[in-house]
Amino acid sequence: MSHLLPIQKRNAVLNRMADLLEQERTNIKKSNQEDLENYKGDDLAMEKRLLVDDAKIDGMILSLRQLFAQEDPVGKERFHFVHDNSIKITNKTAAFGTILIIYESRPDVTVEAGGIAFKSGNKILLKGGKESLRSNLKIVSLWHQALKDNDVDTNWVEYLNYDRNETQAFLEKPTQKVDLIVPRGGENLIDFVKKHATCPVIVSGRGNNFVYVEKEANLDQALNIIINGKTSNISVCNALDKVLIDMNLPNWEAFAKKVVTELQQKNVTVLGDETISKTTKVSQIESDLVWYEEFLDYKIVIGVINSNQEAIEKINKYCGGHSASIITKNDAVAQEFMENVDTAAVYQNASTRFTDGGQFGLGGELAISTDKLHQRGPIGLQHLVTNKWYVYGDGQIR
Protein backbone atom coordinates (compact mmCIF):
# COMPACT_ATOMS: atom_id res chain seq x y z
CA MET A 1 0.00 0.00 0.00
CA SER A 2 1.17 3.57 -0.63
CA HIS A 3 2.74 5.21 2.41
CA LEU A 4 0.69 7.48 4.70
CA LEU A 5 -0.38 10.70 3.02
CA PRO A 6 0.57 13.86 4.93
CA ILE A 7 -2.41 15.45 6.67
CA GLN A 8 -2.18 18.56 4.45
CA LYS A 9 -2.76 16.34 1.38
CA ARG A 10 -5.62 14.46 3.01
CA ASN A 11 -7.30 17.72 4.03
CA ALA A 12 -6.81 19.30 0.61
CA VAL A 13 -8.53 16.30 -1.06
CA LEU A 14 -11.50 16.49 1.36
CA ASN A 15 -11.87 20.22 0.76
CA ARG A 16 -11.72 19.81 -3.01
CA MET A 17 -14.27 16.98 -2.84
CA ALA A 18 -16.69 19.26 -0.97
CA ASP A 19 -16.29 21.92 -3.70
CA LEU A 20 -16.87 19.34 -6.45
CA LEU A 21 -20.08 18.07 -4.80
CA GLU A 22 -21.37 21.64 -4.82
CA GLN A 23 -20.39 22.15 -8.48
CA GLU A 24 -21.79 18.82 -9.66
CA ARG A 25 -25.03 18.96 -7.67
CA THR A 26 -27.28 18.78 -10.75
CA ASN A 27 -25.39 15.88 -12.32
CA ILE A 28 -25.37 13.91 -9.07
CA LYS A 29 -29.16 14.29 -8.80
CA LYS A 30 -29.51 13.29 -12.47
CA SER A 31 -27.52 10.06 -11.92
CA ASN A 32 -29.58 9.39 -8.80
CA GLN A 33 -32.82 9.92 -10.74
CA GLU A 34 -31.76 7.10 -13.09
CA ASP A 35 -31.15 4.83 -10.08
CA LEU A 36 -34.57 5.68 -8.65
CA GLU A 37 -36.27 4.99 -12.01
CA ASN A 38 -34.49 1.62 -12.24
CA TYR A 39 -35.43 0.65 -8.67
CA LYS A 40 -38.21 -1.92 -8.93
CA GLY A 41 -38.41 -2.97 -5.29
CA ASP A 42 -41.21 -2.14 -2.86
CA ASP A 43 -38.99 -1.54 0.19
CA LEU A 44 -39.97 1.91 1.46
CA ALA A 45 -36.92 2.24 3.74
CA MET A 46 -34.56 1.22 0.91
CA GLU A 47 -36.09 3.77 -1.44
CA LYS A 48 -35.74 6.55 1.15
CA ARG A 49 -32.08 5.69 1.65
CA LEU A 50 -31.49 5.59 -2.11
CA LEU A 51 -32.79 9.12 -2.81
CA VAL A 52 -30.23 11.92 -3.19
CA ASP A 53 -31.80 15.39 -3.01
CA ASP A 54 -30.33 18.82 -2.18
CA ALA A 55 -30.63 18.19 1.55
CA LYS A 56 -28.63 14.94 1.21
CA ILE A 57 -25.95 16.70 -0.84
CA ASP A 58 -25.81 19.50 1.77
CA GLY A 59 -25.24 16.77 4.38
CA MET A 60 -22.41 15.21 2.34
CA ILE A 61 -20.70 18.60 1.96
CA LEU A 62 -21.14 19.39 5.65
CA SER A 63 -19.63 16.07 6.70
CA LEU A 64 -16.53 16.74 4.53
CA ARG A 65 -16.16 20.28 5.91
CA GLN A 66 -16.44 18.93 9.47
CA LEU A 67 -13.86 16.23 8.72
CA PHE A 68 -11.55 18.83 7.20
CA ALA A 69 -11.70 20.86 10.43
CA GLN A 70 -10.95 17.92 12.74
CA GLU A 71 -7.43 17.14 13.90
CA ASP A 72 -5.45 14.28 12.43
CA PRO A 73 -6.40 11.05 14.27
CA VAL A 74 -3.15 9.36 13.20
CA GLY A 75 0.12 9.59 15.18
CA LYS A 76 -1.46 10.63 18.49
CA GLU A 77 0.51 9.47 21.52
CA ARG A 78 -1.58 7.21 23.78
CA PHE A 79 1.04 5.90 26.22
CA HIS A 80 4.62 6.69 27.13
CA PHE A 81 7.05 4.74 29.29
CA VAL A 82 10.75 4.99 30.03
CA HIS A 83 12.27 1.63 30.99
CA ASP A 84 14.79 1.27 33.90
CA ASN A 85 17.42 0.63 31.23
CA SER A 86 16.41 3.97 29.57
CA ILE A 87 14.68 2.48 26.49
CA LYS A 88 11.88 4.91 25.54
CA ILE A 89 8.55 3.27 24.63
CA THR A 90 5.67 5.16 23.02
CA ASN A 91 2.32 3.93 21.74
CA LYS A 92 0.73 5.97 18.94
CA THR A 93 -2.41 5.72 16.83
CA ALA A 94 -1.87 4.36 13.30
CA ALA A 95 -3.93 3.94 10.14
CA PHE A 96 -5.36 0.49 9.38
CA GLY A 97 -4.13 0.51 5.77
CA THR A 98 -7.02 -0.51 3.51
CA ILE A 99 -10.66 -0.41 4.56
CA LEU A 100 -13.44 -2.09 2.57
CA ILE A 101 -16.90 -0.55 3.04
CA ILE A 102 -19.83 -2.69 1.84
CA TYR A 103 -23.19 -0.93 1.85
CA GLU A 104 -26.66 -0.86 0.34
CA SER A 105 -28.66 1.88 -1.34
CA ARG A 106 -27.13 4.93 0.38
CA PRO A 107 -25.00 7.03 -1.96
CA ASP A 108 -24.17 9.43 0.91
CA VAL A 109 -22.06 6.62 2.45
CA THR A 110 -19.77 6.94 -0.60
CA VAL A 111 -18.91 10.42 0.66
CA GLU A 112 -19.28 10.20 4.44
CA ALA A 113 -17.71 6.80 5.16
CA GLY A 114 -15.16 7.30 2.38
CA GLY A 115 -14.21 10.67 3.86
CA ILE A 116 -13.78 9.35 7.41
CA ALA A 117 -11.67 6.40 6.25
CA PHE A 118 -9.55 8.63 3.98
CA LYS A 119 -8.96 11.33 6.62
CA SER A 120 -7.73 8.63 9.01
CA GLY A 121 -5.03 7.71 6.51
CA ASN A 122 -6.56 4.69 4.82
CA LYS A 123 -7.02 3.50 1.28
CA ILE A 124 -10.76 3.02 0.61
CA LEU A 125 -12.48 0.18 -1.24
CA LEU A 126 -16.17 0.94 -1.79
CA LYS A 127 -18.66 -1.80 -2.62
CA GLY A 128 -22.12 -0.28 -3.02
CA GLY A 129 -25.38 -1.94 -4.00
CA LYS A 130 -26.52 -2.33 -7.59
CA GLU A 131 -29.59 -0.16 -6.89
CA SER A 132 -27.35 2.93 -6.40
CA LEU A 133 -24.67 2.14 -9.00
CA ARG A 134 -25.03 5.28 -11.14
CA SER A 135 -25.06 7.62 -8.14
CA ASN A 136 -22.04 5.87 -6.63
CA LEU A 137 -19.98 5.86 -9.84
CA LYS A 138 -20.70 9.58 -10.27
CA ILE A 139 -19.54 10.34 -6.71
CA VAL A 140 -16.44 8.12 -7.05
CA SER A 141 -15.52 9.99 -10.26
CA LEU A 142 -15.52 13.16 -8.12
CA TRP A 143 -13.26 11.49 -5.53
CA HIS A 144 -10.85 10.66 -8.36
CA GLN A 145 -11.01 14.24 -9.61
CA ALA A 146 -10.27 15.58 -6.10
CA LEU A 147 -7.31 13.18 -5.76
CA LYS A 148 -5.92 14.06 -9.22
CA ASP A 149 -6.27 17.79 -8.56
CA ASN A 150 -3.97 17.30 -5.55
CA ASP A 151 -1.44 15.01 -7.31
CA VAL A 152 -2.57 12.00 -5.31
CA ASP A 153 -2.94 8.56 -6.90
CA THR A 154 -6.59 7.75 -7.68
CA ASN A 155 -6.17 4.22 -6.26
CA TRP A 156 -6.66 5.71 -2.76
CA VAL A 157 -10.41 5.47 -3.47
CA GLU A 158 -11.54 2.46 -5.48
CA TYR A 159 -15.05 1.31 -6.39
CA LEU A 160 -15.64 -2.44 -6.60
CA ASN A 161 -18.43 -2.96 -9.11
CA TYR A 162 -19.02 -6.58 -8.09
CA ASP A 163 -22.11 -8.79 -8.06
CA ARG A 164 -22.83 -11.05 -5.09
CA ASN A 165 -20.67 -13.95 -6.30
CA GLU A 166 -17.71 -11.69 -7.09
CA THR A 167 -18.08 -10.03 -3.69
CA GLN A 168 -18.10 -13.41 -1.93
CA ALA A 169 -14.99 -14.48 -3.86
CA PHE A 170 -13.23 -11.22 -2.91
CA LEU A 171 -14.14 -11.61 0.79
CA GLU A 172 -12.85 -15.18 0.86
CA LYS A 173 -9.69 -14.53 -1.20
CA PRO A 174 -9.03 -10.78 -1.50
CA THR A 175 -7.00 -9.86 -4.59
CA GLN A 176 -5.35 -7.11 -2.52
CA LYS A 177 -4.59 -6.68 1.17
CA VAL A 178 -7.64 -5.62 3.20
CA ASP A 179 -7.17 -4.69 6.87
CA LEU A 180 -10.74 -3.99 7.97
CA ILE A 181 -14.25 -4.49 6.57
CA VAL A 182 -17.24 -2.36 7.51
CA PRO A 183 -20.63 -3.62 6.28
CA ARG A 184 -23.44 -1.06 6.45
CA GLY A 185 -26.91 -2.38 5.80
CA GLY A 186 -29.51 -4.92 6.83
CA GLU A 187 -28.96 -8.12 8.78
CA ASN A 188 -28.65 -10.21 5.60
CA LEU A 189 -25.74 -8.12 4.36
CA ILE A 190 -23.99 -8.24 7.73
CA ASP A 191 -24.44 -12.02 8.07
CA PHE A 192 -23.14 -12.50 4.52
CA VAL A 193 -19.99 -10.46 5.25
CA LYS A 194 -19.30 -12.13 8.61
CA LYS A 195 -19.70 -15.56 7.07
CA HIS A 196 -17.24 -15.03 4.20
CA ALA A 197 -14.75 -12.40 5.40
CA THR A 198 -11.20 -13.45 6.20
CA CYS A 199 -10.22 -10.22 8.02
CA PRO A 200 -11.72 -8.23 10.94
CA VAL A 201 -15.27 -6.93 10.47
CA ILE A 202 -16.90 -4.07 12.39
CA VAL A 203 -20.57 -4.93 12.69
CA SER A 204 -22.82 -1.95 12.16
CA GLY A 205 -25.72 -3.72 13.72
CA ARG A 206 -29.45 -3.50 13.80
CA GLY A 207 -31.52 -1.17 15.90
CA ASN A 208 -34.66 -2.51 17.61
CA ASN A 209 -34.49 0.33 20.13
CA PHE A 210 -36.56 0.65 23.30
CA VAL A 211 -38.13 3.54 25.23
CA TYR A 212 -39.09 2.81 28.84
CA VAL A 213 -41.69 5.13 30.38
CA GLU A 214 -40.94 4.91 34.12
CA LYS A 215 -43.45 5.73 36.87
CA GLU A 216 -41.94 9.22 37.44
CA ALA A 217 -41.94 10.19 33.76
CA ASN A 218 -42.93 13.59 32.40
CA LEU A 219 -45.71 12.28 30.16
CA ASP A 220 -45.61 15.13 27.63
CA GLN A 221 -41.90 14.45 27.11
CA ALA A 222 -42.55 10.71 26.90
CA LEU A 223 -45.21 11.15 24.21
CA ASN A 224 -43.04 13.50 22.10
CA ILE A 225 -40.02 11.20 22.38
CA ILE A 226 -42.04 8.14 21.31
CA ILE A 227 -43.62 9.95 18.33
CA ASN A 228 -40.26 11.39 17.24
CA GLY A 229 -38.40 8.10 17.68
CA LYS A 230 -40.94 6.19 15.61
CA THR A 231 -42.08 8.60 12.91
CA SER A 232 -39.30 11.11 12.11
CA ASN A 233 -37.44 8.59 9.91
CA ILE A 234 -38.50 4.95 9.75
CA SER A 235 -35.56 3.83 7.57
CA VAL A 236 -32.72 4.30 10.07
CA CYS A 237 -31.19 2.07 12.73
CA ASN A 238 -31.78 4.63 15.52
CA ALA A 239 -35.58 4.61 15.00
CA LEU A 240 -37.81 3.36 17.81
CA ASP A 241 -39.50 -0.05 17.67
CA LYS A 242 -40.54 -0.91 21.24
CA VAL A 243 -42.16 0.93 24.15
CA LEU A 244 -42.40 -0.37 27.72
CA ILE A 245 -44.81 1.33 30.14
CA ASP A 246 -44.42 0.99 33.91
CA MET A 247 -47.71 -0.19 35.43
CA ASN A 248 -46.82 1.78 38.58
CA LEU A 249 -47.27 4.98 36.55
CA PRO A 250 -50.43 6.76 37.83
CA ASN A 251 -53.18 6.42 35.17
CA TRP A 252 -50.93 4.38 32.91
CA GLU A 253 -54.01 3.17 30.98
CA ALA A 254 -54.97 6.72 29.94
CA PHE A 255 -51.37 7.39 28.89
CA ALA A 256 -51.21 4.16 26.87
CA LYS A 257 -54.44 5.05 25.05
CA LYS A 258 -53.11 8.53 24.24
CA VAL A 259 -49.85 7.11 22.83
CA VAL A 260 -51.77 4.60 20.69
CA THR A 261 -54.13 7.28 19.34
CA GLU A 262 -51.29 9.65 18.42
CA LEU A 263 -49.29 6.89 16.72
CA GLN A 264 -52.32 5.69 14.76
CA GLN A 265 -52.98 9.25 13.57
CA LYS A 266 -49.47 9.12 12.08
CA ASN A 267 -50.32 5.85 10.27
CA VAL A 268 -48.27 3.65 12.59
CA THR A 269 -49.52 0.09 13.08
CA VAL A 270 -49.56 -0.48 16.84
CA LEU A 271 -49.34 -3.97 18.37
CA GLY A 272 -49.56 -4.68 22.07
CA ASP A 273 -48.83 -7.39 24.59
CA GLU A 274 -51.89 -8.98 26.19
CA THR A 275 -52.44 -6.18 28.74
CA ILE A 276 -51.98 -3.31 26.25
CA SER A 277 -54.20 -5.08 23.72
CA LYS A 278 -57.02 -5.42 26.28
CA THR A 279 -56.60 -1.81 27.49
CA THR A 280 -56.31 -0.03 24.14
CA LYS A 281 -58.01 -2.49 21.74
CA VAL A 282 -54.93 -2.79 19.46
CA SER A 283 -54.05 -6.18 17.95
CA GLN A 284 -52.14 -8.49 20.25
CA ILE A 285 -48.69 -9.73 19.19
CA GLU A 286 -48.75 -13.30 17.89
CA SER A 287 -45.64 -14.39 19.77
CA ASP A 288 -42.87 -12.99 21.95
CA LEU A 289 -40.47 -13.38 19.01
CA VAL A 290 -41.74 -10.05 17.65
CA TRP A 291 -39.85 -8.36 20.52
CA TYR A 292 -36.60 -9.30 18.71
CA GLU A 293 -37.61 -7.69 15.39
CA GLU A 294 -36.33 -4.47 13.90
CA PHE A 295 -39.18 -3.08 11.76
CA LEU A 296 -37.81 -0.22 9.58
CA ASP A 297 -41.48 0.48 8.98
CA TYR A 298 -44.51 2.30 10.39
CA LYS A 299 -44.94 -0.34 13.08
CA ILE A 300 -44.39 -0.43 16.84
CA VAL A 301 -44.95 -2.78 19.79
CA ILE A 302 -46.05 -1.55 23.23
CA GLY A 303 -45.92 -3.63 26.40
CA VAL A 304 -46.21 -3.18 30.16
CA ILE A 305 -43.78 -4.13 32.92
CA ASN A 306 -43.95 -4.03 36.72
CA SER A 307 -40.51 -2.86 37.84
CA ASN A 308 -37.33 -1.14 36.68
CA GLN A 309 -35.49 -4.45 36.99
CA GLU A 310 -38.02 -6.12 34.70
CA ALA A 311 -37.58 -3.31 32.14
CA ILE A 312 -33.78 -3.72 32.18
CA GLU A 313 -34.03 -7.51 31.80
CA LYS A 314 -36.55 -7.28 28.96
CA ILE A 315 -34.47 -4.75 27.02
CA ASN A 316 -31.26 -6.76 27.51
CA LYS A 317 -33.00 -9.90 26.28
CA TYR A 318 -34.59 -8.51 23.12
CA CYS A 319 -32.87 -5.30 21.95
CA GLY A 320 -30.27 -5.09 19.17
CA GLY A 321 -27.57 -3.61 21.43
CA HIS A 322 -28.01 -0.19 19.82
CA SER A 323 -29.98 2.38 21.89
CA ALA A 324 -32.40 2.52 24.81
CA SER A 325 -34.01 5.46 26.58
CA ILE A 326 -35.63 5.85 30.00
CA ILE A 327 -38.16 8.63 30.54
CA THR A 328 -38.05 9.65 34.21
CA LYS A 329 -37.55 12.67 36.48
CA ASN A 330 -35.71 10.45 38.96
CA ASP A 331 -31.99 10.77 38.15
CA ALA A 332 -30.92 7.93 40.45
CA VAL A 333 -33.33 5.52 38.76
CA ALA A 334 -32.15 6.75 35.35
CA GLN A 335 -28.50 6.23 36.28
CA GLU A 336 -29.15 2.67 37.45
CA PHE A 337 -31.04 1.93 34.23
CA MET A 338 -28.29 3.48 32.07
CA GLU A 339 -25.52 1.54 33.81
CA ASN A 340 -27.30 -1.81 33.52
CA VAL A 341 -28.87 -1.71 30.07
CA ASP A 342 -26.46 -3.36 27.62
CA THR A 343 -26.68 -1.06 24.59
CA ALA A 344 -24.10 1.12 22.82
CA ALA A 345 -26.01 4.29 23.74
CA VAL A 346 -28.29 4.85 26.74
CA TYR A 347 -30.52 7.90 27.20
CA GLN A 348 -32.46 9.73 29.86
CA ASN A 349 -35.40 11.83 28.60
CA ALA A 350 -34.33 12.03 24.95
CA SER A 351 -35.08 10.36 21.63
CA THR A 352 -32.98 7.42 20.41
CA ARG A 353 -32.83 9.24 17.06
CA PHE A 354 -29.72 11.07 18.33
CA THR A 355 -27.48 7.98 18.11
CA ASP A 356 -25.56 9.28 15.13
CA GLY A 357 -21.97 10.40 14.56
CA GLY A 358 -22.99 13.86 13.35
CA GLN A 359 -25.34 14.43 16.31
CA PHE A 360 -22.68 13.18 18.76
CA GLY A 361 -20.20 15.73 17.45
CA LEU A 362 -18.02 13.22 15.58
CA GLY A 363 -18.51 14.84 12.16
CA GLY A 364 -20.40 11.89 10.70
CA GLU A 365 -19.79 8.20 11.25
CA LEU A 366 -18.28 5.26 9.45
CA ALA A 367 -20.79 2.95 11.09
CA ILE A 368 -22.71 2.46 14.32
CA SER A 369 -21.13 -0.55 15.95
CA THR A 370 -23.22 -2.88 18.09
CA ASP A 371 -20.13 -5.02 18.68
CA LYS A 372 -17.92 -4.38 21.69
CA LEU A 373 -14.64 -4.68 19.80
CA HIS A 374 -12.91 -2.44 19.08
CA GLN A 375 -15.33 0.47 19.40
CA ARG A 376 -19.01 0.68 20.27
CA GLY A 377 -21.72 3.03 18.95
CA PRO A 378 -21.02 5.66 16.29
CA ILE A 379 -17.52 5.20 14.88
CA GLY A 380 -16.00 8.55 14.04
CA LEU A 381 -12.66 9.64 12.77
CA GLN A 382 -10.87 9.28 16.09
CA HIS A 383 -11.98 5.64 16.49
CA LEU A 384 -10.96 4.48 13.04
CA VAL A 385 -7.37 3.87 14.02
CA THR A 386 -5.31 0.99 15.27
CA ASN A 387 -2.07 1.56 17.20
CA LYS A 388 1.62 0.89 17.00
CA TRP A 389 4.52 0.76 19.48
CA TYR A 390 7.63 2.90 18.89
CA VAL A 391 10.64 1.75 20.92
CA TYR A 392 13.84 3.86 21.00
CA GLY A 393 17.01 2.24 22.37
CA ASP A 394 20.75 2.74 22.47
CA GLY A 395 22.07 -0.81 22.17
CA GLN A 396 20.07 -2.37 25.05
CA ILE A 397 19.68 -6.17 25.03
CA ARG A 398 17.53 -8.37 27.23
Side-chain angles (χ1 to χ4, degrees), residues 211-228:
V211 162
Y212 168 42
V213 183
E214 199 262 344
K215 67 175 188 282
E216 293 180 63
N218 171 326
L219 296 185
D220 289 339
Q221 284 186 1
L223 184 64
N224 285 338
I225 286 165
I226 291 166
I227 298 296
N228 174 263

Side-chain angles (χ1 to χ4, degrees), residues 16 62 83 91 107 122 231 243 275 291 319 331 373:
R16 180 71 183 125
L62 178 65
H83 198 284
N91 182 263
N122 300 289
T231 65
V243 176
T275 309
W291 287 103
C319 76
D331 293 346
L373 290 176

Side-chain angles (χ1 to χ4, degrees), residues 127-198:
K127 161 68 189 85
K130 61 180 184 301
E131 64 289 327
S132 45
L133 181 64
R134 286 173 178 79
S135 309
N136 286 335
L137 290 178
K138 175 63 192 168
I139 293 168
V140 169
S141 76
L142 300 181
W143 271 119
H144 287 171
Q145 185 64 47
L147 290 161
K148 275 196 281 228
D149 290 349
N150 287 285
D151 301 317
V152 179
D153 198 317
T154 55
N155 73 3
W156 278 89
V157 178
E158 208 178 307
Y159 193 79
L160 305 180
N161 190 3
Y162 291 168
D163 64 20
R164 191 181 170 89
N165 292 339
E166 289 167 318
T167 304
Q168 183 176 326
F170 185 85
L171 289 172
E172 289 168 354
K173 282 207 177 76
T175 48
Q176 55 177 294
K177 189 171 187 292
V178 178
D179 298 283
L180 181 69
I181 301 178
V182 183
R184 285 189 60 161
E187 286 180 74
N188 293 343
L189 172 72
I190 289 164
D191 291 343
F192 172 76
V193 173
K194 278 177 87 167
K195 186 174 165 194
H196 299 292
T198 46

Side-chain angles (χ1 to χ4, degrees), residues 202-253:
I202 288 181
V203 173
S204 190
R206 62 197 192 90
N208 192 28
N209 305 311
F210 278 69
V211 162
Y212 168 42
V213 183
E214 199 262 344
K215 67 175 188 282
E216 293 180 63
N218 171 326
L219 296 185
D220 289 339
Q221 284 186 1
L223 184 64
N224 285 338
I225 286 165
I226 291 166
I227 298 296
N228 174 263
K230 182 69 260 179
T231 65
S232 59
N233 189 347
I234 58 145
S235 67
V236 285
C237 61
N238 57 26
L240 176 64
D241 280 330
K242 308 292 183 317
V243 176
L244 299 177
I245 298 175
D246 188 350
M247 289 174 84
N248 304 296
L249 177 79
N251 300 328
W252 71 263
E253 294 98 334

Side-chain angles (χ1 to χ4, degrees), residues 4 9 36 47 51 67 83 97 111 126 146 153 187 236 242 251 258 274 286 314 323 343 363 365 373 391 397:
L4 182 71
K9 278 278 189 204
L36 285 166
E47 208 163 333
L51 170 73
L67 283 171
H83 198 284
V111 172
L126 295 158
D153 198 317
E187 286 180 74
V236 285
K242 308 292 183 317
N251 300 328
K258 190 170 183 186
E274 192 179 347
E286 284 173 22
K314 183 145 194 163
S323 302
T343 56
E365 78 219 5
L373 290 176
V391 184
I397 57 174

Side-chain angles (χ1 to χ4, degrees), residues 37 69 72 131-132 155 189 241 243 277 280 302 309 326 356 360 362 370:
E37 281 161 18
D72 188 358
E131 64 289 327
S132 45
N155 73 3
L189 172 72
D241 280 330
V243 176
S277 171
T280 66
I302 303 178
Q309 192 49 42
I326 182 170
D356 169 278
F360 280 9
L362 300 174
T370 49

Side-chain angles (χ1 to χ4, degrees), residues 5-24:
L5 284 176
I7 186 62
Q8 296 76 5
K9 278 278 189 204
R10 282 178 268 151
N11 277 341
V13 170
L14 292 172
N15 213 21
R16 180 71 183 125
M17 182 62 177
D19 291 343
L20 288 168
L21 287 169
E22 186 58 73
Q23 282 171 30
E24 291 290 311

